[in-house]
């Protein structure tokens, strides 16, 4: 197992290239199961979760190639309909093969993904929606079996705008004749990216980025050539690392419109963001690295403040000149990073879904442990501002979501190295 060793504080300068979005790439890769034809997808980040998807697709009978951020998928043999526990437990997003496989073969069996450190994360919303399309759900030895004699288009409303359920149902509906109307959909930009991919495959999709999505499916879908959108969570993370470290950092291959809520928060905290507002292109983050003003946030479905940036935001607020509040509305157990930040001198009280952060003058480097992808990112934000040496353990979590993060940060001036534990 590797560790990161970070010597701080050190201001950052220069440019960082943002990678393709993990959370957009995973459903688009799952969507390749909808067709027999060849699919070529570019700007796919080289991450552990993408490699897990590579293994899953290969196991299911696809033949994948991945290199230089280009992923190609061909159908090598008859596809299996069973995603086993060993592959699903590594990555919750494996559940996204359910929609495409159900649509194509009218039957899919997959291992229940189980909980993770940030919450129970059930899949009831996905399963209820499959039932509305005419499927039956049963359970056997920890697996879910979803099957249907015939799937039919329908109008259905999600009880919560789940990102994964919206994606799974869009993919399933893309192979069902007639118009399926999904209400109370998630509006995350990754869903619009999936809609773009499904349209390239020949489905008619309307209304992505709104709460109601209409999909007019086809009997057969075509192959796909597509380029994945920039990673908005990586973008927000680098904005927060730059804001905590101080200096002037420009993020390339990304777009300010993807991170409006974070940019607004940073501006309130006293960080200069350009371009302010809405133009495409890069983003420059500039600050003197002094203590920010306290800014409270509540995590919400998009366009609200993203839960995936809550932990990095907490790390940034740990040095604020005053008290701020975080309300985590999406996941019930997403404050594991608070205890690690406290080891670095932060003053935080967590009660249920709320955290009160009383900003301190200085954070101090310490040995800490990443408990999930974004908790790990939060420790890098804290280490960027902390005095002394921070050693971050279990960085395999960080590797699930951030491509070559230490190379990017080192180029921008951070003293960071990866060492074998
Ligand atoms: C996706 C993202 C993840 C992000 C999350 C919320 C991917 C690969 N992952 O996860 O990074 O943190 O959106 O923005 O895109 N829920 C249920 N029943 C369900 C489904 C969800 O109760 O059937 C609950 C979850 O437990 C959670 C909330 O709804 O509390 C949001 O989950 P969801 O939007 O589905 O997140 P994911 O798609 O798993």
């Amino acid at each position: 197992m590797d560790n990161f060793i970070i010597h701080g504080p050190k201001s950052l300068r220069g440019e960082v290239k943002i990678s393709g979005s993990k959370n957009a790439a995973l459903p688009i890769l799952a969507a390749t199961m909808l067709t027999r034809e060849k699919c070529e997808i570019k700007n796919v980040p080289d991450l552990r979760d993408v490699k897990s998807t590579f293994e899953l697709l290969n196991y299911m009978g696809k033949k994948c190639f991945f290199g230089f951020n280009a992923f190609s998928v061909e159908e090598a043999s008859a596809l299996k309909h069973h995603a086993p526990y060993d592959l699903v437990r590594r990555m919750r997003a494996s559940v996204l093969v359910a929609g495409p496989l159900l649509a194509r073969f009218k039957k899919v069996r997959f291992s229940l993904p189980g909980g993770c450190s940030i919450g129970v994360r059930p899949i009831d919303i996905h399963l209820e929606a499959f039932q509305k399309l005419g499927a039956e759900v049963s359970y056997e030895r920890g697996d879910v079996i979803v099957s249907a004699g015939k799937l039919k288009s329908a109008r259905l409303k999600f009880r919560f705008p789940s990102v994964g359920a919206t994606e799974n149902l869009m993919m399933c509906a893309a192979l069902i004749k007639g118009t399926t109307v999904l209400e109370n959909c998630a509006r995350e930009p990754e869903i619009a990216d999936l809609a773009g991919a499904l349209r390239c495959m020949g489905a008619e999709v309307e209304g992505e980025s709104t709460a109601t999505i209409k999909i007019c499916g086809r009997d057969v879908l075509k192959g796909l050539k597509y380029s994945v959108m920039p990673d908005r969570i990586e973008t927000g993370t680098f904005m927060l690392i730059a804001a905590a470290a101080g200096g002037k950092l420009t993020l390339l291959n990304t777009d300010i419109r993807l991170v409006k809520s974070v940019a607004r928060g940073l501006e309130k905290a006293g960080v200069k963001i350009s371009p302010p507002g809405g133009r495409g292109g890069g983003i420059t983050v500039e600050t003197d690295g002094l203590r920010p003003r306290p800014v409270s946030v509540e995590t919400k479905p998009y366009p609200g403040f993203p839960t995936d940036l809550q932990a990095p935001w907490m790390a940034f607020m740990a040095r604020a000149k005053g008290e701020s509040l975080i309300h985590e509305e999406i996941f019930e157990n997403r404050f594991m990073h608070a205890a690690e930040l406290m080891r670095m001198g932060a003053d935080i009280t967590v009660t249920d879904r709320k955290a009160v952060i009383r900003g301190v003058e200085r954070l101090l480097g310490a040995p800490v442990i990443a408990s999930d992808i974004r908790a790990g990112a939060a420790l890098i934000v804290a280490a960027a501002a902390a005095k002394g040496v921070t050693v971050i353990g279990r960085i395999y979590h960080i590797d699930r979501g951030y491509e070559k993060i230490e190379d990017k940060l080192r180029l921008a001036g951070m003293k960071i190295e990866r060492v074998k534990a």
Side-chain angles (χ1 to χ4, degrees):
M1 272 200 292
D2 295 350
N3 288 341
F4 278 148
I5 299 185
I6 299 172
H7 293 254
K10 185 140 181 356
S11 58
L12 302 186
R13 306 239 154 242
E15 293 175 343
V16 162
K17 278 193 190 144
I18 296 299
S19 299
S21 161
K22 167 178 88 71
N23 286 355
L26 298 180
I28 292 170
L29 293 176
T32 64
M33 308 281 284
L34 288 164
T35 178
R36 294 175 68 99
E37 292 184 18
K38 184 171 182 184
C39 297
E40 292 176 293
I41 301 149
K42 289 195 188 139
N43 204 29
V44 178
D46 190 351
L47 296 170
R48 274 175 55 123
D49 279 9
V50 169
K51 288 178 185 140
S52 301
T53 307
F54 179 96
E55 279 179 46
L56 181 61
L57 292 178
N58 273 338
Y59 171 87
M60 306 299 283
K62 291 282 191 183
K63 193 168 178 196
C64 305
F65 300 91
F66 183 45
F68 301 103
N69 300 112
F71 202 110
S72 83
V73 188
E74 287 179 68
E75 198 146 307
S77 51
L79 294 190
K80 296 191 181 75
H81 320 156
H82 182 194
Y85 183 59
D86 186 42
L87 290 170
V88 173
R89 76 186 162 85
R90 284 191 227 160
M91 183 188 58
R92 201 189 134 77
S94 311
V95 74
L96 291 172
V97 298
L101 288 176
L102 175 64
R104 241 184 107 183
F105 303 106
K106 311 294 171 285
K107 181 164 182 179
V108 56
R109 177 175 180 147
F110 57 100
S111 191
L112 269 174
C116 65
S117 64
I118 61 173
V120 180
R121 303 186 80 177
I123 55 162
D124 54 323
I125 301 175
H126 304 235
L127 298 179
E128 277 165 27
F130 288 142
Q131 284 169 320
K132 295 259 165 59
L133 299 181
E136 280 177 19
V137 175
S138 58
Y139 299 87
E140 204 180 298
R141 297 177 57 81
D143 286 350
V144 194
I145 301 166
V146 189
S147 56
K150 187 172 181 328
L151 290 166
K152 53 182 191 323
S153 57
R155 171 179 279 267
L156 62 94
K157 184 170 181 174
F158 298 114
R159 77 169 159 77
F160 177 86
S162 154
V163 174
T166 304
E167 293 166 344
N168 234 340
L169 271 290
M170 284 167 71
M171 292 188 278
C172 191
L175 268 184
I176 301 176
K177 265 189 129 169
T179 303
T180 295
V181 182
L182 307 174
E183 294 177 7
N184 200 24
C185 291
R187 290 183 284 158
E188 269 65 3
E190 293 77 15
I191 286 172
D193 215 28
L194 174 63
L198 293 175
R199 266 197 291 269
C200 283
M201 297 174 88
E204 269 178 50
V205 185
E206 265 177 41
E208 71 273 16
S209 311
T210 76
T212 304
I213 301 180
K214 285 187 194 166
I215 300 118
C216 185
R218 298 275 178 264
D219 283 336
V220 176
L221 291 172
K222 298 184 289 199
L224 172 70
K225 278 195 179 180
Y226 203 71
S227 183
V228 172
M229 64 176 277
D231 196 310
R232 66 190 169 96
I233 304 300
E234 188 197 16
T235 305
T237 302
F238 272 94
M239 289 167 84
L240 285 162
I241 295 173
K248 183 174 179 185
L249 190 69
T250 297
L251 309 180
L252 302 174
N253 296 355
T254 187
D255 189 327
I256 189 87
R257 286 169 294 192
L258 295 170
V259 283
K260 275 191 191 160
S261 59
V262 185
R264 261 197 308 272
L266 280 167
E267 281 173 338
K268 278 194 207 159
V271 177
K272 202 168 146 205
I273 307 286
S274 44
R279 293 199 316 277
I283 303 171
T284 299
V285 180
E286 191 173 358
T287 167
D288 49 18
L290 297 178
R291 297 174 69 191
R293 288 195 285 271
V295 179
S296 298
V297 296
E298 282 180 13
T299 64
K300 295 249 192 266
Y302 191 85
F305 192 93
T307 173
D308 286 350
L309 288 173
Q310 179 262 104
W313 185 264
M314 180 185 280
F316 176 54
M317 280 295 116
R319 281 181 61 241
K321 269 192 252 163
E323 187 175 296
S324 63
L325 191 75
I326 292 180
H327 191 165
E328 171 56 60
E329 291 206 3
I330 309 292
F331 290 105
E332 68 274 20
N333 186 27
R334 203 170 200 181
F335 284 134
M336 304 274 279
H337 44 282
E340 297 303 301
L341 293 173
M342 284 159 76
R343 292 173 49 74
M344 299 177 73
D347 182 358
I348 301 166
T349 311
V350 172
T351 327
D352 193 22
R353 285 178 180 239
K354 289 203 172 99
V356 179
I357 304 125
R358 288 166 292 273
V360 295
E361 175 87 38
R362 258 272 145 256
L363 293 174
L364 295 172
V368 285
I369 283 176
S371 55
D372 68 69
I373 308 180
R374 311 304 172 186
L379 297 174
I380 297 182
V381 174
K387 190 166 170 1
V389 182
T390 301
V391 180
I392 306 178
R394 300 205 188 142
I395 58 169
Y396 55 86
H397 286 296
I398 301 175
D399 291 337
R400 283 187 53 207
Y402 295 92
E403 186 179 43
K404 300 192 182 91
I405 189 165
E406 74 270 32
D407 296 347
K408 293 184 183 184
L409 286 169
R410 206 178 299 113
L411 271 177
M414 184 181 273
K415 277 190 80 183
I416 176 169
E417 51 181 329
R418 180 187 288 260
V419 291
K420 289 255 169 283

